[in-house]
Amino acid sequence: MAAGIGVFIFLMSHSIAPYFANRPIKGAAEAAFKAQLDRSVPSILRNFDIPGVVVATVVNGAPSQTYAYGYANIERREPMRTDTVFRVASISKSLTAWGVLRLVQDGKVSLDAPAERFVRRWPVPPSAFPVRAVTVRRLLNHTSGLSPGGDTYRRPDQPAQSAADLLRLGGAGTEPAALVLPAGKQFLYSVPGYTILQMMIEDQSGRPYADYMRDTVIRPLGMASSSYQWDAPLRPRTATPYVTDHGASPVDIPQDQAADSLFSTAPDLARFIAAPLPDKDLPAGAGVLSAASVAELYNNPADLQYSQMAGFAPDEPTLGFFLEPISGKPTIVTNGGYDPGWASRFYFVPQTGDGLVILTNSDHAQPLIAHIASVWSSWRGLPPTGMTRTYRTLGSEADAVLSLIVTLAISLGAGLLLEMRSDAKRRFAFRRIAPATNALECILAICTVGLWVFAYRGVRAMPTLNTVGTLVISLFVIVVVARIILPVRSGYREQTDGKGPDFTGDLVDLRLPAAEPVDPRPASAPAEPAEADAAR
């Protein structure tokens, strides 16, 4: 027990606490934030096999600084730069929401009207649920009842599938879109919902979706290195995506433009998340949306329940964004994108004018994102983000499990050693552990190793936790194997007649020496007369 408690304390102080503590003082200069990143990010990139990351900050409602670490391409040793281009996956939906709100602002679309009214041909087949309940707002906040669908990709040299065909026929590995739930009753993250919004934008604007977004949202916000198409000027600056366990991967182009296909840089996304925040130069909305439209983006209907996004903290869905509300604290607005080879996230706080953008070219960079977000929230005096809270919990739980495992391993090993020592004194092989117990211990060992392999990717960015975990699991497996093998090697064999255990060792040495005859009479008893006469 003492050993388990010792492991727990060691990991809490050397793995969990340093990972989420020792942060810049609230209100310190941004140099303190950068200094903390300079100390911690390179080691996390190395420990977690993440090629690189670019971080951009927003302070007082305006873009501030950008920091780059690691490599855009490992094989060519090409360093990550502040203007490196990433595919930001589902962050695309947040800009799409701006495009839809601009149509609403121009009077071409109504948020609470049936979406079919604004699409020339409704692309979803009839279902048991009324289509008129599928409003524009419900498409934006994923409560339309449409099926989840999935992202589909093409090579850059392949022709794009039209949005209507994508919904009607589905893509590689995805089914055609369908209305599977009554609209407005439940959150269900839906890629097809945003493809319908793409069709609506094209029908109402009379222009291709990428062109409309470029001229209506992207260029007016000053996002010079962003596009819903992989334009030729962006290609030389695009990072190489690295897929878990597969290494470098070609850049795939998503078929579902509005939901997934935005290419951008950290400074451009910093401009985007700063756009809703008024500063000394621009009003809220940066001239693209009115202040009322910006407020509508974060309006969360009261009848919506919390949702669980990507296994992380509960978020409240809004129009293209998600909220992380904490009672009595400023609400953090967020969205993230996770596709093969890419992981990205942004945060901003309308009440304080703070923001953060994190872009990586790896699809297992969530612990790094959680770490950077924890440094940022501490520096700006904000509550920890949902992803930070999740990884704090993950680290603490991993610590507790490892402590229990080391306690169990030491207990089993100590019992084995004591039995061996005791039986050695008796000079015969020690008693074999029951086969049923062996089987249970084997199952426990296999499950323990499996769980550690599964959890390893999530905790190995935490200093020393991966090393200690591997040692603890190895110790436990060795003890279990020893409890199975050593009794057999010590001469034990099963009795075939069912009368109990038998031993192959020589038991002759265990026989007691023959006892000498002992006179039962007391030493002081008088001799019998006959015996006395005979003696005379």
Side-chain angles (χ1 to χ4, degrees), residues 234-532:
L234 303 182
R235 296 189 181 192
R237 292 190 283 132
T238 301
T240 299
Y242 287 82
V243 180
T244 301
D245 297 332
H246 294 285
S249 172
V251 177
D252 292 327
I253 310 300
Q255 299 269 49
D256 40 343
Q257 277 188 305
D260 204 45
S261 70
L262 180 66
F263 289 85
S264 189
T265 64
D268 272 13
L269 287 179
R271 293 184 181 91
F272 171 66
I273 66 173
L277 312 175
D279 61 13
K280 58 183 178 62
D281 297 322
L282 293 171
V288 176
L289 295 181
S290 66
S293 295
V294 169
E296 192 71 57
L297 286 168
Y298 319 128
N299 179 27
N300 180 40
D303 61 345
L304 284 182
Q305 298 180 350
Y306 282 88
S307 61
Q308 193 75 17
M309 292 302 301
F312 296 111
D315 304 323
E316 293 185 11
T318 66
L319 307 188
F321 299 85
F322 296 88
L323 308 182
E324 294 184 357
I326 297 179
S327 179
K329 302 288 186 179
T331 295
I332 297 176
V333 182
T334 184
N335 198 9
Y338 304 94
D339 270 352
W342 309 99
S344 55
R345 194 101 192 163
F346 69 71
Y347 301 95
F348 69 94
V349 184
Q351 297 96 317
T352 65
D354 294 303
L356 177 71
V357 176
I358 307 169
L359 305 180
T360 77
N361 55 338
S362 168
D363 53 15
H364 60 266
Q366 290 88 339
L368 173 65
I369 293 173
H371 170 78
I372 294 173
S374 69
V375 178
W376 169 74
S377 61
S378 177
W379 168 49
R380 303 312 298 167
L382 298 168
T385 66
M387 191 177 288
T388 297
R389 296 194 300 272
T390 294
Y391 275 93
R392 284 179 177 175
T393 302
L394 175 63
S396 300
E397 289 176 348
D399 185 3
V401 169
L402 291 176
S403 302
L404 291 174
I405 291 174
V406 76
T407 301
L408 179 60
I410 292 175
S411 299
L412 293 175
L416 181 64
L417 291 175
L418 288 174
E419 189 168 359
M420 291 174 65
R421 182 179 179 184
S422 174
D423 287 333
K425 287 183 177 180
R426 294 196 298 268
R427 300 175 62 191
F428 59 86
F430 56 90
R431 182 175 301 171
R432 180 170 182 165
I433 300 168
T437 303
N438 279 335
L440 289 175
E441 290 175 358
C442 285
I443 293 172
L444 182 59
I446 292 171
C447 292
T448 301
V449 172
L451 288 173
W452 178 250
V453 171
F454 177 78
Y456 179 73
R457 288 176 182 158
V459 301
R460 62 178 171 175
M462 299 179 184
T464 72
L465 189 59
N466 55 328
T467 303
V468 174
T470 301
L471 292 175
V472 167
I473 300 301
S474 300
L475 171 65
F476 180 71
V477 171
I478 290 172
V479 169
V480 170
V481 171
R483 287 168 62 84
I484 298 172
I485 294 177
L486 288 181
V488 176
R489 293 178 61 86
S490 298
Y492 177 88
R493 63 179 173 84
E494 295 289 346
Q495 179 77 347
T496 57
D497 59 5
K499 296 181 180 180
D502 189 19
F503 295 92
T504 60
D506 186 4
L507 302 184
V508 175
D509 293 337
L510 300 177
R511 298 172 182 171
L512 296 175
E516 296 181 1
V518 178
D519 190 348
R521 293 173 302 178
S524 58
E528 294 292 336
E531 294 178 354

Side-chain angles (χ1 to χ4, degrees), residues 530-536:
E531 294 178 354
D533 293 340
R536 286 194 295 267

Side-chain angles (χ1 to χ4, degrees), residues 55-88:
V55 180
T57 59
V58 172
V59 179
N60 297 325
S64 182
Q65 302 294 324
T66 305
Y67 313 104
Y69 302 90
Y71 293 97
N73 184 282
I74 296 175
E75 290 74 19
R76 297 194 300 266
R77 308 303 289 177
E78 180 182 332
M80 196 70 78
R81 305 189 312 178
T82 57
D83 65 346
T84 297
V85 175
F86 298 79
R87 186 162 66 76
V88 297

